Amino acid sequence: MEEKEINVEEIFTTLRRRKATIFWVVLIFLFSALYYNHKKRPVYRAMARVRLPGSNNITQIALQGMTTPWNDVPTQLAILKSLNIRKRVIEKLHLAIRLEDSVNSVFIDSLKVSPTLTPGHYTLDIKEDSSYYVKDSTNNVLISGKVNKWSENDKIGLLIKISSDIKLPLKLHLRIRDIGNLLEKIGGHIKIQQEGNSFIARIEARDYSPEFAKKLADAYAESYVDYTLEDARYSARVLKDFLEGQVARVERQLKVKEDSLSMMEKEFDYFSTLMIKDGEETNKELLSNYLALVSEKYQAEMRYKEASALSETLTRKLKLSGGSSLMTGDYGDLIDKLLALEKRRAFLILNYSPEHPEAKRLEKKINALQKDLSQKIHKDTLTSEDRISPKILSILQESEVNSILYSARLKAIQEVLKDYENKLSKVPDVSLTYFNLRRKIDALKQIYENLLLRLEEAKIEHASQIPDARVLDYALVPKSPFSPNKTLNLYLALVLGLFVGVLIAFLQEHLDKSIKDPETAEKIIDAPILAVIPHMDVPQPVIEPIGTCKDEKLIESLNRFKINLEFLRKTNPSLKTIGISSTASGEGKTILSLNLAQTLALSGYNVLLVNADFVKPTQNKILGIPRNEEGLSEFLYRDSEKANILKTKLKGLDFLPSGKNKGYISSYLLRGQASKKFKELTSSYDIVIVDTAPIGVVSSTLLFANNLFDGLLLAIKYNFTNADFLSAVCKELVRNNVNIIGGVFNDFKTSQGYGYRYYYYGYYYHDTRKGIKHTIKRFFKRKKGRKK
């Protein structure tokens, strides 16, 4: 069979024909969406917005002319999604512990739960003296304390509040939840996104409760701001703690030195004390310069220890790799230059004074060299540790530069001081001891004052640290659920239902082998379709006699059938006995045979209608003939008797029943006289119409077609006859030399879309179709008639 090219008309025809399938599929999807919308528990979404830290730093860096500022937004988003923030949310909302008894007068205000604590059910026992005990199922005490007071141990911390009117003692049940499950669950309820390319993060919280969704979003935003505040104060706190320790240490040293000086003065008499205090000017000048240099040595030593300790503290707390420093570059040349300059400066201080012009010039060179060293260190560590915030990284870089600078200064001063030990040895021992002690006390006092000043600055810095992060917008209580989106679900169900329905429709069309149009039937049987019989919307499509029928479609189709048959007989005058059969039962061959016989009789032909269906003789029932009436089977079996031909109510139409003998008819047909006898019987008639059993089911029909018929007509039912089966039957008929003169396309439904394609019946189909508009008008006309 030749493949047909698919065109737009056939696509729309398929859609019209399978509209019921598409309708039911869409209906199923819509009902599924409605059921889902009804059963799905509504989820609410609340949104808070926070400003991420770093926007002020970016502005300052941009003003300084840097075109590629460091972007901290990915780091801050990662912090927002971290377990640290989730733990803070759990503590802020008191999610880890829950009262299973509904008591409004007891409230757990604060809670700290260790991840190692076994989750489960616990008992809270509040005594008359306002003490409480939290016990597990084995009556072991988890924690105890007093109400309205904070109590904690290594596993849990609680602050339990009760109202004054509550009656004690009281026993309640608690449930401590698994921290790990809570952390995972909160992560599933939170969605964090950056708002465009800005320094603003959007925090979306989703929950079945709109109030809790708002609380969760707000708690998440506040927990993040609290974390950034602690991070901003971290470096200032480290410096403050270090300076406090140094102040205490210098204060202890100063007290020891002062006590020693006091003891020495008590041991001298008045004149010895005066002599020591009023020593030679040379000694005073020498000791004065020496005191200035030693003072610088102490300051350099303190600054070096301060920078090294700060660097080591930050490195240890931040758990950095690569030892105690992030600096991996080679700074040997710069350090050697720095050491040489420091030696020259120390020499000038000893021999002249710190205010010497050459000493001032060397100090400027040292400051310039310090800037070069700082820039080189900054360049080497710009991208080495991206996870460290810019502020902490800056402190680390500054401490490393100070460590190198003051280390070089300390080393240079120590070397210069050794050269002057011989000169100092010439001073009397008592005087030298006295002046050394006074020098150390003065140096310690100066260092002490500097440390106190630095400590106050560090305290102010720690107290004034304000995080760049801010809660821009607190969440609002959502009024409508975020999910399910009922309208969207219905639209999606409609679109998906249409898509799946169309897909199923085309799949059904592809798998459906039934014949849908006369053109396909003509190609299969290789013979013309003589008529297209429309579908009749009545219980019994036969109206007896056919002449009283008022259905124009049926009458026109039967007349066309008769005319086309007459054309065939003109080209083939021997065409008299015509058999009508089908491939299977239910294709309308019996009704078609009777209607054709009546139409021919009304046209003036002398017609004999023969019922040759011995398996299911429906023709007898339609014409009201008893089943035990003798007929064709007896005529073929009894050679000497005449056939029992019955007259019908329609003039010119006789009927030969099938007969009551339903044995094997093949033995009758194979007799030599059966064909001749049947021709003698039908010689007095113009046309003989033979209704046979389905030729694809009953084998005797093939013998009838081969021995008795001049031609065979095949009844082909719309959307019923299988194309493959019809093709196989036609091949079998051709092999047995059966003359297939044509076919009749039966029970054709114009509403399926094929009625307009065939000019010879399309006009009547279109003209008599009853649309919805026509049905409504006819309904109202009937109503008016009844009222009248």
Side-chain angles (χ1 to χ4, degrees):
M1 186 174 59
E2 186 179 316
E3 291 187 2
K4 293 196 300 182
E5 183 181 351
I6 298 177
N7 52 42
V8 176
E9 183 181 358
E10 290 181 350
I11 291 175
F12 281 102
T13 299
T14 301
L15 295 178
R16 284 195 296 268
R17 186 163 56 249
R18 302 290 179 180
K19 61 185 178 184
T21 299
I22 299 174
F23 171 77
W24 284 110
V25 171
V26 171
L27 197 62
I28 290 171
F29 272 83
L30 288 175
F31 272 113
S32 301
L34 289 172
Y35 180 80
Y36 175 80
N37 289 340
H38 178 70
K39 290 295 183 180
K40 172 68 175 176
R41 189 176 177 183
V43 177
Y44 294 86
R45 178 179 65 178
M47 185 180 70
R49 298 166 72 237
V50 295
R51 187 184 72 177
L52 302 176
S55 59
N56 292 339
N57 295 336
I58 292 294
T59 304
Q60 294 173 4
I61 292 173
L63 291 175
Q64 293 173 4
M66 296 182 65
T67 56
T68 56
W70 184 75
N71 189 358
D72 194 34
V73 172
T75 304
Q76 297 303 321
L77 292 177
I79 293 173
L80 266 170
K81 298 174 183 177
S82 65
L83 295 179
N84 192 343
I85 303 299
R86 297 185 199 175
K87 290 178 182 177
R88 292 170 180 265
V89 172
I90 291 173
E91 293 178 3
K92 187 179 286 289
L93 296 179
H94 317 300
L95 299 178
I97 191 167
R98 178 179 296 174
L99 277 172
E100 294 186 336
D101 302 314
S102 57
V103 180
N104 296 328
S105 54
V106 178
F107 178 69
I108 300 176
D109 185 45
S110 299
L111 174 67
K112 182 184 74 175
V113 177
S114 171
T116 60
L117 180 62
T118 304
H121 297 275
Y122 292 81
T123 302
L124 173 62
D125 192 3
I126 304 177
K127 304 295 183 180
E128 293 182 356
D129 60 352
S130 298
S131 63
Y132 70 85
Y133 299 89
V134 177
K135 302 177 181 179
D136 59 12
S137 57
T138 60
N139 214 29
N140 294 324
V141 177
L142 176 64
I143 190 173
S144 61
K146 287 282 187 178
V147 296
N148 300 324
K149 291 185 179 180
W150 172 261
S151 300
E152 69 173 316
N153 54 29
D154 58 341
K155 291 186 177 181
I156 190 171
L158 288 178
L159 175 59
I160 297 177
K161 294 183 178 181
I162 60 174
S163 60
S164 58
D165 57 346
I166 189 172
K167 294 182 180 180
L168 299 178
L170 184 65
K171 183 175 286 188
L172 300 172
H173 296 89
L174 302 176
R175 181 190 172 195
I176 297 179
R177 305 170 70 182
D178 187 4
I179 299 297
N181 291 338
L182 276 176
L183 291 173
E184 184 177 355
K185 188 174 291 185
I186 287 179
H189 285 233
I190 291 292
K191 184 178 180 182
I192 298 170
Q193 289 181 332
Q194 182 184 5
E195 197 166 279
N197 294 323
S198 65
F199 280 79
I200 297 174
R202 187 168 58 241
I203 302 172
E204 294 181 2
R206 302 177 184 181
D207 194 76
Y208 298 124
S209 169
E211 292 79 10
F212 183 77
K214 171 190 166 37
K215 290 181 180 179
L216 185 59
D218 292 345
Y220 220 96
E222 291 173 353
S223 298
Y224 170 71
V225 173
D226 293 342
Y227 172 82
T228 56
L229 175 60
E230 293 181 7
D231 184 60
R233 291 179 175 176
Y234 175 74
S235 58
R237 185 173 67 249
V238 171
L239 180 60
K240 180 177 71 68
D241 295 342
F242 171 76
L243 289 175
E244 286 177 348
Q246 294 298 317
V247 167
R249 186 178 67 83
V250 172
E251 189 174 7
R252 288 193 300 269
Q253 292 179 358
L254 183 60
K255 187 176 184 306
V256 172
K257 298 296 182 184
E258 288 178 344
D259 292 342
S260 298
L261 182 62
S262 178
M263 293 295 294
M264 181 178 290
E265 289 179 347
K266 287 180 181 179
E267 293 178 358
F268 298 151
D269 54 19
Y270 175 75
F271 291 103
S272 299
T273 304
L274 186 60
M275 183 180 296
I276 292 172
K277 290 183 177 181
D278 297 333
E280 297 179 357
E281 292 298 326
T282 304
N283 292 339
K284 285 184 177 181
E285 183 181 355
L286 181 63
L287 290 176
S288 176
N289 294 339
Y290 187 78
L291 176 62
L293 190 59
V294 170
S295 177
E296 284 211 6
K297 173 191 170 185
Y298 270 93
Q299 290 182 7
E301 184 178 4
M302 295 301 299
R303 290 293 183 91
Y304 170 71
K305 289 182 179 180
E306 177 185 331
S308 299
L310 181 60
S311 178
E312 290 176 2
T313 302
L314 289 176
T315 302
R316 184 176 61 257
K317 291 192 175 184
L318 294 174
K319 298 180 180 180
L320 297 177
S321 60
S324 63
S325 176
L326 291 175
M327 315 311 163
T328 58
D330 185 10
Y331 315 112
D333 294 340
L334 292 175
I335 293 174
D336 292 341
K337 291 180 181 179
L338 183 63
L339 185 59
L341 292 174
E342 289 288 354
K343 285 182 179 180
R344 292 174 59 188
R345 181 177 175 273
F347 179 80
L348 289 172
I349 291 174
L350 270 178
N351 289 277
Y352 301 100
S353 71
E355 303 300 326
H356 192 276
E358 183 65 18
K360 292 289 187 181
R361 188 178 63 82
L362 289 175
E363 187 174 357
K364 290 181 180 180
K365 287 186 177 182
I366 291 171
N367 291 335
L369 193 62
Q370 178 185 354
K371 289 183 181 180
D372 294 341
L373 182 63
S374 177
Q375 290 177 359
K376 183 173 176 57
I377 290 176
H378 177 77
K379 181 180 179 182
D380 291 343
T381 61
L382 186 59
T383 59
S384 62
E385 291 287 347
D386 291 340
R387 63 188 180 88
I388 305 175
S389 67
K391 186 174 183 62
I392 300 296
L393 187 61
S394 177
I395 293 173
L396 281 172
Q397 292 168 352
E398 183 181 355
S399 63
E400 184 67 17
V401 172
N402 290 337
S403 177
I404 295 173
L405 176 65
Y406 291 111
S407 174
R409 178 168 294 183
L410 180 62
K411 186 176 179 181
I413 292 175
Q414 286 176 345
E415 290 181 4
V416 172
L417 285 176
K418 288 181 181 179
D419 296 337
Y420 285 85
E421 289 180 356
N422 294 329
K423 294 181 180 181
L424 292 175
S425 62
K426 297 177 181 180
V427 181
D429 293 338
V430 176
S431 300
L432 183 61
T433 302
Y434 179 80
F435 280 109
N436 280 338
L437 193 57
R438 288 293 303 269
R439 174 183 51 78
K440 290 181 179 180
I441 290 173
D442 292 340
L444 286 175
K445 285 183 178 179
Q446 187 177 359
I447 293 171
Y448 183 71
E449 291 175 358
N450 291 335
L451 285 176
L452 285 178
L453 181 61
R454 295 281 307 276
L455 179 58
E456 292 301 322
E457 292 175 353
K459 287 181 178 180
I460 294 172
E461 183 181 0
H462 177 263
S464 63
Q465 282 288 348
I466 300 175
D468 198 9
R470 292 284 188 278
V471 179
L472 290 183
D473 296 316
Y474 282 95
L476 300 176
V477 178
K479 296 182 180 180
S480 58
F482 165 74
S483 174
N485 191 332
K486 297 183 178 181
T487 304
L488 179 61
N489 288 343
L490 288 176
Y491 279 123
L492 289 177
L494 178 62
V495 173
L496 190 60
L498 284 172
F499 175 76
V500 175
V502 171
L503 188 65
I504 293 175
F506 279 101
L507 183 62
Q508 284 181 333
E509 190 73 12
H510 177 72
L511 297 177
D512 188 6
K513 299 297 182 180
S514 60
I515 300 175
K516 305 295 189 306
D517 60 274
E519 291 178 351
T520 304
E522 285 183 348
K523 292 179 180 179
I524 294 174
I525 66 175
D526 196 20
I529 295 297
L530 301 183
V532 177
I533 307 299
H535 173 75
M536 301 295 295
D537 294 320
V538 292
Q540 176 55 264
V542 176
I543 303 173
E544 192 179 0
I546 195 68
T548 62
C549 178
K550 297 181 180 180
D551 194 308
E552 296 180 359
K553 293 186 293 184
L554 178 61
I555 297 298
E556 178 61 25
S557 299
L558 291 174
N559 285 333
R560 191 173 299 276
F561 186 14
K562 181 200 69 170
I563 293 171
N564 288 330
L565 187 61
E566 288 176 342
F567 287 156
L568 282 177
R569 293 188 66 204
K570 286 182 179 179
T571 58
N572 188 4
S574 62
L575 189 61
K576 179 179 180 181
T577 304
I578 301 172
I580 299 180
S581 185
S582 61
T583 58
S585 179
E587 296 185 64
K589 60 174 183 56
T590 299
I591 304 299
L592 185 63
S593 302
L594 178 59
N595 287 340
L596 177 60
Q598 292 186 44
T599 303
L600 291 170
L602 288 171
S603 300
Y605 290 97
N606 188 15
V607 183
L608 174 62
L609 177 61
V610 180
N611 186 7
D613 189 350
F614 301 103
V615 178
K616 195 175 180 181
T618 310
Q619 201 76 260
N620 291 14
K621 183 180 178 181
I622 293 174
L623 295 176
I625 308 301
R627 292 179 63 88
N628 58 357
E629 187 75 26
E630 292 186 356
L632 180 61
S633 59
E634 287 77 15
F635 171 70
L636 295 177
Y637 182 74
R638 301 171 186 171
D639 294 339
S640 58
E641 295 186 5
K642 293 183 180 181
N644 183 26
I645 295 177
L646 304 176
K647 295 290 185 181
T648 65
K649 296 179 181 179
L650 185 61
K651 183 180 179 182
L653 177 60
D654 294 340
F655 178 65
L656 178 60
S658 59
K660 58 185 179 180
N661 189 354
K662 297 181 181 179
Y664 288 100
I665 198 64
S666 59
S667 58
Y668 312 148
L669 296 176
L670 291 175
R671 294 178 181 177
Q673 299 298 322
S675 178
K676 183 179 178 181
K677 185 178 180 181
F678 187 78
K679 287 184 179 180
E680 291 177 355
L681 174 66
T682 59
S683 59
S684 59
Y685 292 94
D686 297 329
I687 299 177
V688 179
I689 305 298
V690 183
D691 177 23
T692 68
I695 197 167
V697 179
V698 181
S699 59
S700 61
T701 304
L702 189 59
L703 292 174
F704 276 119
N706 193 270
N707 292 278
L708 302 182
F709 302 160
D710 298 325
L712 179 66
L713 285 173
L714 290 174
I716 301 167
K717 188 176 181 179
Y718 163 79
N719 205 25
F720 182 85
T721 303
N722 187 278
D724 295 339
F725 192 23
L726 178 61
S727 178
V729 169
C730 290
K731 289 179 181 179
E732 185 178 16
L733 293 174
V734 171
R735 285 197 302 269
N736 287 276
N737 298 321
V738 175
N739 182 22
I740 303 175
I741 62 174
V744 181
F745 201 67
N746 195 25
D747 197 31
F748 187 77
K749 297 178 181 178
T750 59
S751 61
Q752 302 298 329
Y754 278 107
Y756 309 106
R757 295 179 60 187
Y758 304 100
Y759 71 96
Y760 44 85
Y761 55 86
Y763 169 78
Y764 292 97
Y765 288 178
H766 177 75
D767 193 41
T768 56
R769 286 186 69 183
K770 299 173 182 178
I772 297 175
K773 195 183 228 182
H774 176 75
T775 305
I776 294 174
K777 287 182 179 179
R778 189 175 62 180
F779 174 78
F780 283 109
K781 282 182 181 179
R782 288 180 181 176
K783 288 284 186 181
K784 289 179 182 179
R786 287 175 185 174
K787 288 180 181 179
K788 290 180 180 180

